[in-house]
Structure formats: structure tokens, C-alpha cells
Amino acid sequence: MDLNQLRQEIDEIDTELVRLFCQRMKISGEIAEFKHQNHMPIFVPSREREKLMDVAQKAGPEMENYTRVLYSMLFELSRSHQSKLNNQDTPLHQQIVQAIRSTPPLFPQTPTVACQGVEGAYAQIACEKMIKSPFILYFKDFEGVFNAIEQGLCQYGILPLENSTAGSVKKVYDLMIHHNFSIVRTFRLKVDHNLLVNPGTKLEDIKEIYSHEQAIGQCGGFLEKMPGVKVIAVENTAVAAKMVSQSGRRDVAALSSRSCAELYNLEVAAASIQDKGNNRTRFICISKNLEIYPGADKTSIMMVLPHRPGSLYKVLARLYVLGINVTKLESRPIPDRDFEFMFYFDLETSIYSDEYVQLMCELDDLCEEFKYLGSYSEVI
């Protein structure tokens, strides 16, 4: 047989497969109606396990694994179809609808905002990009920002989430597991690190450099060219600049923003020393209450998945079925819970789409626990 004949056979098989698939989904819909009328759950794990074992055995050793993958996806399609047909609303979706209705069309212009560090911090710069005229309160660490939001001391908080060079800010992700908040907007700040010194200091005089661990990681190439210099991590880049200024010493320096040079009367000994020119940090703006502003097209969620093969695949398969793009996936171990992880997802989907509504109504079926972190847009 030549290639065209083989392809013709494939086409005929595909035609039959599509017919059988549609027939299966139709019966799946009838099962959904029966379950709905009899108050039965859509997902029955024991039935799925039995079915997977059955089809794998029928496929034989050579096709066993392929068949498991095929039917796992088919089960996700069926469950998604059943959920859509039953159109079961959930408390979460109702809460989201209420937030969309009650959130004002314009973001507040002069709110009180919590930032980590001191004046001149990158969080402050990001805050002033996201909010027109913020009144900023500074806190020593990231947890202080979360606490300020939960206790109602500030309406919003600004936190760094990830950097294009150094990666995720893991301390923030770990704190997100334990605190209650909502993300209301994000911003990607172009970050330029400079080596700041007291007036009269020369590069060869420097024995110690202070900065935040993320900034240190972003300037690894430059620091390698300064052997013998001790690099010390502190809680914030602006704190580093302030320390250098207050010390009055001519053998110390800070990796910080150019604005801190003017603010703390320092000189720029070396400018833009980060490893990559397009160095950006993504900041999130969080609030205590759920606020969803018009045009929100990004959603963040956290999930606890069982520690067994295929758990993450099933979630990703469902998102694929719904046509929802995953732009960020991060996993963090849950303290005091062996071999359990919290998975963080950034999803790209409009709050007005049918897929978004369906996902919000299906989250219960996807994991053991989940945490909805908010829907928002990115400030440009």
C-alpha cells in the first residue's frame, strides 16, 4: 500500500472515531442528567480506576500506556461536558459575580499602600506606577505587608513575585499559602541595579556589598569580577543604600536603584550592572477584599494535589480542554505535610468568557484543596 492509501484508511477510521466520540459524549450527558436528578457527584474515582484498568488490559502490553493517556483525557472531556450540562453554580462563582458587580469601574486614586523596605525601594517605584497618588507605609519584611492587609492597616499591598533573571521570590509564594488576600492588579517593572557608594569611594576600595538576595542573584556576572569582596544579603535594596549612606564608610557599596543615589546622597560607581538588560520584576497588588476591575483577563489560583502520578496532568488536561492558557506554574512544599505541595497557577482568560465561568464552577473537582487568589489585569 502506498502512503495515500494508508492515509485514506486513517481518514476512514477517524470518521468512525468522531462518530463514536460524539455518541459517547451524548451518553455521558445523559449520565450527567441522571446524576443531577439523584444528587450524585460527577466524579467517581473508583469507576474511573476500574475503567482505566479495563481499557489498558484490552489494549495489550504494547498500547497499554498510550490507552491510559487517551482515556485520561477522554475522562476529563466527559467531566467537563457533564459539569457544563448540569450548570451547577458554586459559592465561589457567586462570590466572583458579586465582586464584579460591586467593584467600582476606576481603581482608587489615593489609597494607603503597604510596601516592604524603606523609601526608594523598587516596591515603591512599582506602587507609583500602579497607583496614581498612593500614601505608602513601609514594613520590614514581606509578612509585614500581608499582615497590614489582613489587619486593615492598609487598603493595598505591593509585593515582588518573580524576576525575569533570578526567578520566583519563593518567600512570597510560601507566605501566600498562609495568608488571605486577593490580587487586584500586576505590573512588570524594568529593574536597573547600580553600584552605589559614598562620595569619593573608588571601586578598588570596596570590601563589602549589601543588597537583597534577588538583586545579588541578578548581578552575578558583575560580582564575579570583584573577587575578595564580601557580598551581604539584607532585607531590601533601598535598605542597603540607606545602610551605606549612614555608615559613612568608603569601603562599602550597595546594589540599588538610581533613585536611591539621589535619595541617600550616594554616587553611582557602576551603572546598570544586572546580567540582562531586559531585567524585569513582576509585582502584585493585593487587597483584603475581593475586587475585580473591568477588563480583568488574568486569574491566579493555588491548589493542593494528591501525591500520586497523574495528579498535575489531570489539572493541566482540564485547562487544555477549556482552552485556558497557563502562563505561570510554581510548586512549593507545604510545611508539616510530608510530600504535599501547593501548586500556583497564573491563567490567561477573560472573566467574561464561558471558559472562565466553567472553570470557576469546576475547581472543586480538580484537586483536594484550592484557593482562588483573584482575577485582574496587568498595568502597562
Side-chain angles (χ1 to χ4, degrees):
M1 297 179 68
D2 63 19
L3 181 60
N4 289 332
Q5 289 175 311
L6 292 171
R7 284 176 171 171
Q8 185 176 350
E9 284 198 18
I10 287 287
D11 291 343
E12 291 172 357
I13 293 171
D14 285 342
T15 298
E16 184 65 11
L17 282 175
V18 170
R19 185 187 67 80
L20 291 172
F21 172 73
C22 292
Q23 184 179 344
R24 192 185 194 284
M25 294 296 276
K26 180 177 180 297
I27 296 173
S28 176
E30 294 172 0
I31 292 174
E33 177 62 24
F34 179 87
K35 288 180 176 179
H36 181 60
Q37 291 179 358
N38 292 274
H39 307 289
M40 297 170 63
I42 288 175
F43 180 40
V44 183
S46 59
R47 164 66 177 169
E48 183 173 304
R49 285 194 297 270
E50 291 171 2
K51 189 66 178 174
L52 279 176
M53 186 179 298
D54 178 56
V55 295
Q57 289 175 347
K58 289 177 179 177
E62 187 177 352
M63 291 290 123
E64 178 180 349
N65 289 335
Y66 296 112
T67 305
R68 285 182 180 275
V69 173
L70 172 63
Y71 270 79
S72 292
M73 174 62 78
L74 191 58
F75 293 157
E76 291 302 321
L77 290 168
S78 294
R79 284 202 295 272
S80 181
H81 180 55
Q82 289 179 338
S83 296
K84 187 175 183 179
L85 288 175
N86 282 349
N87 195 27
Q88 294 179 341
D89 204 359
T90 62
L92 172 60
H93 182 242
Q94 293 172 5
Q95 181 186 7
I96 290 171
V97 170
Q98 179 57 36
I100 293 173
R101 291 173 179 169
S102 61
T103 302
L106 294 177
F107 200 84
Q109 303 292 293
T110 58
T112 302
V113 184
C115 288
Q116 185 261 343
V118 295
E119 190 175 358
Y122 284 112
Q124 174 197 330
I125 300 172
C127 177
E128 291 171 345
K129 295 287 186 181
M130 282 192 269
I131 302 170
K132 186 176 181 180
S133 301
F135 178 75
I136 300 175
L137 297 181
Y138 295 97
F139 294 84
K140 182 179 179 180
D141 50 31
F142 295 139
E143 186 159 23
V145 174
F146 280 106
N147 289 334
I149 297 303
E150 288 183 332
Q151 296 169 14
L153 297 176
C154 297
Q155 187 174 353
Y156 299 110
I158 305 296
L159 293 160
L161 199 60
E162 59 182 324
N163 177 265
S164 57
T165 301
S168 301
V169 185
K170 299 189 183 299
K171 287 183 180 179
V172 174
Y173 279 101
D174 290 339
L175 288 167
M176 290 168 77
I177 297 174
H178 304 290
H179 290 274
N180 296 315
F181 64 96
S182 292
I183 302 174
V184 296
R185 54 176 40 185
T186 62
F187 179 75
R188 295 180 189 270
L189 178 69
K190 176 73 164 60
V191 174
D192 283 308
H193 294 304
N194 303 273
L195 189 69
L196 306 185
V197 297
N198 281 305
T201 302
K202 299 178 181 179
L203 280 177
E204 57 267 26
D205 298 332
I206 298 173
K207 293 183 175 59
E208 295 177 356
I209 296 177
Y210 302 97
S211 195
H212 186 266
E213 58 185 0
Q214 280 272 326
I216 293 169
Q218 294 161 29
C219 301
F222 177 85
L223 295 175
E224 286 177 1
K225 298 175 183 177
M226 300 188 70
V229 175
K230 186 177 181 180
V231 181
I232 302 170
V234 296
E235 57 266 33
N236 189 271
T237 57
V239 168
K242 188 174 182 179
M243 289 171 60
V244 169
S245 177
Q246 291 179 341
S247 72
R249 293 165 54 187
R250 293 188 177 180
D251 62 345
V252 296
L255 297 177
S256 191
S257 65
R258 182 174 288 272
S259 62
C260 280
E262 182 178 351
L263 186 64
Y264 295 110
N265 194 31
L266 299 173
E267 292 181 349
V268 178
S272 298
I273 58 175
Q274 63 275 2
D275 294 340
K276 295 183 179 180
N278 189 27
N279 185 38
R280 295 184 182 273
T281 296
R282 180 178 175 230
F283 286 85
I284 56 174
C285 178
I286 64 172
S287 69
K288 181 178 181 179
N289 301 317
L290 179 59
E291 300 176 7
I292 303 178
Y293 288 89
D297 58 358
K298 302 179 189 301
T299 292
S300 295
I301 56 177
M302 298 182 89
M303 293 183 177
V304 176
L305 303 179
H307 187 64
R308 58 173 178 262
S311 295
L312 180 58
Y313 166 79
K314 290 183 178 180
V315 175
L316 295 174
R318 184 68 66 91
L319 294 172
Y320 175 73
V321 166
L322 293 174
I324 294 175
N325 187 34
V326 179
T327 58
K328 171 76 175 180
L329 174 57
E330 181 82 19
S331 66
R332 298 298 299 156
I334 302 175
D336 304 321
R337 292 168 65 172
D338 292 339
F339 302 109
E340 287 196 67
F341 292 83
M342 180 71 81
F343 289 86
Y344 173 96
F345 294 81
D346 278 338
L347 309 174
E348 198 171 53
T349 175
S350 170
I351 58 170
Y352 309 110
S353 69
D354 293 338
E355 293 78 14
Y356 173 83
V357 174
Q358 191 170 347
L359 176 64
M360 293 303 106
C361 294
E362 293 181 11
L363 281 175
D364 270 328
D365 298 332
L366 292 177
C367 55
E368 292 184 346
E369 302 172 33
F370 74 86
K371 189 175 182 181
Y372 171 70
L373 302 181
S375 297
Y376 51 89
S377 58
E378 189 160 283
V379 179
I380 299 176

